[in-house]
Amino acid sequence: METSDQERLRKEVDEVLHGKGKQPQGPELFKQNDYSNVRHVIGVVSGKGGVGKSLVCGVLAVELARRGARVGVLDADITGPSIPKMLGLSGARARGVDELIVPVKTKGGIEVMSANLVLEHETDPVIWRGPVVAGAIKQFWEDCAWGELDYLLVDMPPGTGDVPLTVFQSLPVDGIVIVSSPQDLVQMVVGKAVNMANMMQVPVLGLVENMAYVECPDCGRKIYPFGPSRLKETAEAFDIEALGQLPIDPRIAESCDRGTFEDELPAGTLSEAVDTVVSVAEFVDALRGGQEG
């Protein structure tokens, strides 16, 4: 590698890691097609895998739909999609009409687009490099006929890689919900998610703690298998809102496996997180109305 190339690469890495020099500029926003009118985009993210991000995304989607909202889920976890099975769409396939993809609708009316809905077999692996995965996100936005949606929830893969970067730069994200679990390490990985959102100027709506406790079926006492909750402590450390906890509940896990999650999710689950999403959407609508006026 020539010296000039080395120096250019060093500067680029320094800018990304330390915020020095000119901030990296993202691509232009992906465009909506004539068959889509998505009013609000909310991302659901986690700094690491295995904390239940897709579960929280599913809860938000179902609870918003129960409140009468028109809801869609863009499953951006291309290599590990779990949304279709959870929402009863295992084996379903998206169809194409006039060069557009029509998302698959759940029993409760939630529109879903996922890699598993376009694969011949849902167990086929998706062995794609980053640019191809980013291209799939673009296609799921620009080439899908989403129709009229109040909310499109984007279930992102864990970490701070290509897909979150593409979503933050190219979709009109109103805010993100971060998902964590009680372990010590999680405070560090939550920080990565928060800092990435701040770098990309994407609002953080708050933090949800999954697997916070187990409730004894006999006496109702809460047991903390991963130690005491760190929700409040972590939220305060990063100056974000604590949006509630989810327990370890075998019944919810079984409903995800059966595809009956929509029917069996207890009413009012994560109500504070849902209220926050609604409030942010109303605030954004008010700002748009003011600008149009």
Side-chain angles (χ1 to χ4, degrees):
M1 182 182 293
E2 296 181 2
T3 302
S4 59
D5 290 336
Q6 290 177 327
E7 180 65 18
R8 177 181 55 78
L9 181 59
R10 186 196 65 76
K11 287 182 177 180
E12 289 178 358
V13 171
D14 201 35
E15 287 175 7
V16 172
L17 292 180
H18 305 294
K20 296 179 179 179
K22 186 178 180 180
Q23 289 295 319
Q25 297 296 311
E28 293 182 4
L29 288 176
F30 294 157
K31 298 178 181 178
Q32 291 196 55
N33 58 66
D34 293 338
Y35 298 90
S36 300
N37 183 23
V38 178
R39 293 176 57 201
H40 301 287
V41 178
I42 304 294
V44 182
V45 309
S46 63
K48 64 185 290 291
V51 299
K53 165 188 51 60
S54 295
L55 174 65
V56 171
C57 184
V59 170
L60 295 176
V62 170
E63 286 294 287
L64 286 166
R66 286 175 176 175
R67 296 188 183 194
R70 298 164 296 185
V71 182
V73 178
L74 192 164
D75 188 357
D77 195 350
I78 302 295
T79 60
S82 55
I83 290 291
K85 184 173 183 179
M86 177 193 307
L87 295 178
L89 300 179
S90 184
R93 295 291 175 269
R95 58 192 177 92
V97 176
D98 296 333
E99 299 184 352
L100 290 176
I101 305 170
V102 179
V104 181
K105 187 175 293 189
T106 69
K107 178 182 176 182
I110 299 171
E111 304 279 356
V112 178
M113 191 62 231
S114 170
N116 264 15
L117 299 176
V118 295
L119 296 175
E120 184 176 356
H121 306 289
E122 63 179 16
T123 55
D124 290 345
V126 178
I127 309 174
W128 297 343
R129 293 190 182 275
V132 180
V133 173
I137 303 302
K138 180 177 182 179
Q139 188 170 22
F140 286 175
W141 175 263
E142 291 193 341
D143 297 337
C144 281
W146 286 106
E148 295 284 339
L149 290 183
D150 298 307
Y151 302 95
L152 180 67
L153 301 173
V154 182
D155 181 23
M156 285 194 269
T160 55
D162 287 341
V163 170
L165 183 62
T166 298
V167 171
F168 288 168
Q169 289 181 325
S170 302
L171 300 188
V173 180
D174 288 332
I176 62 169
V177 173
I178 299 175
V179 184
S180 72
S181 58
Q183 296 96 321
D184 281 333
L185 178 65
V186 169
Q187 186 165 125
M188 180 267 290
V189 295
V190 167
K192 288 181 179 295
V194 171
N195 289 334
M196 182 179 189
N198 289 339
M199 287 178 65
M200 305 305 298
Q201 298 183 327
V202 175
V204 178
L205 306 188
L207 179 67
V208 170
E209 185 177 68
N210 188 31
M211 300 182 286
Y213 58 88
V214 178
E215 191 170 292
C216 175
D218 296 323
C219 66
R221 184 172 67 91
K222 292 182 178 180
I223 303 166
Y224 299 89
F226 298 116
S229 170
R230 297 183 179 277
L231 174 62
K232 185 176 180 181
E233 170 189 335
T234 304
E236 289 179 350
F238 297 105
D239 194 25
I240 58 178
E241 296 294 321
L243 298 180
Q245 298 174 310
L246 285 174
I248 299 172
D249 189 339
R251 295 169 298 181
I252 292 180
E254 290 168 4
S255 72
C256 291
D257 290 339
R258 291 193 302 264
T260 56
F261 179 80
E262 241 180 332
D263 293 328
E264 298 180 23
L265 179 70
T269 301
L270 288 181
S271 59
E272 188 172 352
V274 179
D275 288 343
T276 298
V277 170
V278 172
S279 295
V280 167
E282 291 174 346
F283 176 74
V284 171
D285 285 341
L287 281 180
R288 289 172 180 166
Q291 292 171 353
E292 291 172 0

